[in-house]
Amino acid sequence: MIRIHILGSAAGGGLPQWNCTCPNCAAARTGKITPQTQSSIAISGDSEGFHRWFLINTSPDLNRQIESMPRLQPRRDLPRNSPIAAVLLTNGDIDHALGLLLLREQDIPLVVYAADETRAALGWIEGVLAKFCGIEWRKTAPEFQTLSGSMAFRTIELPRSVAFQFRDDTSGATALFAPSVGELTDELQNTVHKSDAVLFDGTFWSDGELAAIRPGARSARQMNHLPISDGSLDFLHQSPARRKIFTHINNTNPILMPSSRERAQVKQSGIEIARDGLEIVI
Ligand SMILES: [Zn+2]
Ligand SMILES: [Zn+2]
């Protein structure tokens, strides 16, 4: 069995974003929709009784996310401890990596799994952490390798990012976490079709969504995110996965608004919309 806890479901900036007055951010400030923190998940396998957790990406909201999830908090019988065993990074984006700095107070080096390109991009964080706990880098690979107990993982390479697939070697259950998908590569499509749960890039509804709010902004595709409306919706609709969930949702995305036609369309396609605290067990 694999347990996934969505710590944060929003893309960079969160919901509301500090300097944004788009309809969703305004609604989040007045309590009309629930605020969401920046994208990260915690994952654990049952061979160790769900006592060791792995963070996939660490957002600037990590401290708040740990305090809202008792399973990630330290045991009370020891002065310093944590059930967080390691971090896996999909890439070096600020909203995915800044949380590493928030884990600096431990005595032993922080174990971080990342592709070589991600590690190279994070030299500045490595330099800061060297004065504290330091980082013990571990390599990632396209073939399954053991992460902990009976849980294995592999990477799927994408443009400027990777996705992670997890597998419970006892039950055979598989889950995919792909928050930054610029292209539906053949390998990614095959992996989606072979996963029981799929957490997928739901950053933008349409390619020009950000430019409509902030003239001159880059398009979704230029930012390495396939839009839902003409990119991932039909594809995921056809996938046989038991759970299909859009996550890493930007605050401008109309699927966040309860009454929107776009939200209805996603739900009619059999796809869920992530929210902070959502737990998936497969
Ligand atoms: Zn991001
Ligand atoms: Zn906004």
Side-chain angles (χ1 to χ4, degrees):
M1 205 183 281
I2 291 176
R3 197 180 282 269
I4 295 171
H5 189 102
I6 294 183
L7 294 172
S9 62
L15 171 73
Q17 178 175 313
W18 68 282
N19 62 348
C20 187
T21 59
C22 78
N24 289 336
C25 287
R29 284 193 187 98
T30 56
K32 214 175 133 201
I33 58 177
T34 309
Q36 305 292 327
T37 60
Q38 295 169 84
S39 175
S40 172
I41 62 168
I43 188 165
S44 183
D46 68 351
S47 58
E48 281 156 333
F50 302 117
H51 291 314
R52 291 187 86 209
W53 289 86
F54 296 83
L55 303 181
I56 322 303
N57 293 339
T58 50
S59 93
D61 299 319
L62 182 60
N63 286 357
R64 194 147 51 109
Q65 294 167 341
I66 290 172
E67 294 313 318
S68 66
M69 181 182 168
R71 282 198 183 95
L72 284 187
Q73 294 164 12
R75 286 167 39 185
R76 290 179 192 177
D77 54 347
L78 292 165
R80 291 276 194 281
N81 70 98
S82 170
I84 298 169
V87 174
L88 288 73
L89 297 175
T90 58
N91 62 17
D93 285 358
I94 288 270
D95 59 315
H96 303 167
L98 204 63
L100 293 176
L101 297 175
L102 305 176
L103 297 171
R104 67 189 176 280
E105 294 93 352
Q106 65 177 25
D107 298 330
I108 53 169
L110 188 61
V111 175
V112 180
Y113 292 84
D116 291 342
E117 305 78 58
T118 302
R119 179 178 172 173
L122 293 177
W124 64 282
I125 283 186
E126 187 173 11
V128 174
L129 280 182
K131 299 184 188 75
F132 298 91
C133 59
I135 295 180
E136 181 183 325
W137 294 100
R138 302 254 176 100
K139 286 195 178 294
T140 57
E143 300 82 32
F144 275 108
Q145 59 174 308
T146 298
L147 186 59
S148 177
S150 64
M151 188 163 64
F153 82 108
R154 63 187 280 269
T155 55
I156 296 97
E157 283 187 34
L158 295 167
R160 288 184 281 153
S161 178
V162 300
F164 290 112
Q165 188 184 28
F166 300 89
R167 184 180 69 197
D168 181 344
D169 287 332
T170 308
S171 68
T174 49
L176 175 71
F177 182 59
S180 302
V181 178
E183 192 188 328
L184 284 176
T185 62
D186 288 346
E187 194 195 5
L188 182 66
Q189 294 193 38
N190 289 335
T191 309
V192 166
H193 288 300
K194 286 182 199 149
S195 294
D196 299 300
V198 175
L199 281 75
F200 205 85
D201 185 339
T203 312
F204 297 110
W205 172 260
S206 60
D207 205 34
E209 182 178 311
L210 213 49
I213 305 264
R214 184 166 63 84
R218 289 182 296 163
S219 73
R221 283 190 165 85
Q222 283 170 339
M223 294 174 77
N224 208 34
H225 294 291
L226 208 58
I228 294 174
S229 59
D230 63 344
S232 53
L233 189 67
D234 288 344
F235 166 68
L236 280 183
H237 176 53
Q238 285 157 22
S239 130
R242 273 189 283 151
R243 303 281 302 266
K244 299 176 270 195
I245 303 166
F246 279 127
T247 192
H248 194 279
I249 303 164
N250 198 57
N251 59 67
T252 51
N253 193 324
I255 67 170
L256 291 168
M257 198 58 88
S259 56
S260 73
R261 139 187 93 73
E262 293 86 352
R263 188 178 182 90
Q265 204 176 327
V266 167
K267 290 192 164 172
Q268 279 157 18
S269 301
I271 305 167
E272 299 169 68
I273 295 164
R275 57 181 164 72
D276 292 11
L278 180 68
E279 198 162 78
I280 302 119
V281 179
I282 53 158

